[in-house]
Structures are given as C-alpha cells and as structure tokens.
Amino acid sequence: MEAAELVEIFQWLTPEQSARVMTDPETAHRVRDEVADVLAYLLQFCEVLGVDPLSALEAKIERNELRFPVPGEPED
C-alpha cells in the first residue's frame, strides 16, 4: 500500500514534471513521508526474513552489470 501511495504521486506526471516535483513544498513533504513509509516497511520486512538489504542490492547490481553491459565498455 505504501509503495502505491508513493507511485501515485508520480503516476500521471511527465518526466519533466517528475523531475520538478520536489520544488513544490507540499508535494515534497508527501514524497518524503511516503519514501519514509516504504523504507520503514522494507527494513522491517528484511529484518523478519533475515535479508541484508545492502548485500541484496550489491548482488543485484552485479547481476545487472553482467546481463546488461554498457555498450563500448570492455568486458572483464
């Protein structure tokens, strides 16, 4: 539910409007509140399941780098 509330703020905005969303104090406050809610639930979820969120993120980035190499960069 919390993630949906965050996405809802941006749902009908163009990329340009999304980039400027934090310039409106009321909307910026909503964004910060929803980000905090999502993060709190995610960290609680990770704690219950025994998932280290930073390790999970690092592993995902590494897998994505292998799956989607940057064009023109030499492979290891």
Side-chain angles (χ1 to χ4, degrees):
M1 181 71 154
E2 301 300 336
E5 291 176 12
L6 177 60
V7 171
E8 181 182 279
I9 296 169
F10 296 91
Q11 186 171 10
W12 304 112
L13 301 181
T14 66
E16 294 78 18
Q17 290 169 323
S18 293
R20 294 189 309 266
V21 78
M22 297 304 283
T23 61
D24 174 55
E26 184 177 324
T27 305
H29 178 74
R30 284 184 57 215
V31 168
R32 284 191 295 273
D33 278 357
E34 297 307 333
V35 165
D37 288 345
V38 170
L39 182 58
Y41 279 108
L42 178 60
L43 292 175
Q44 290 172 358
F45 188 72
C46 288
E47 179 70 25
V48 168
L49 297 179
V51 173
D52 178 345
L54 295 180
S55 294
L57 175 61
E58 183 178 352
K60 179 64 175 179
I61 289 170
E62 289 174 5
R63 283 194 308 276
N64 283 346
E65 287 173 346
L66 293 173
R67 289 179 59 204
F68 309 106
V70 176
E73 278 195 8
E75 295 184 28
D76 294 336

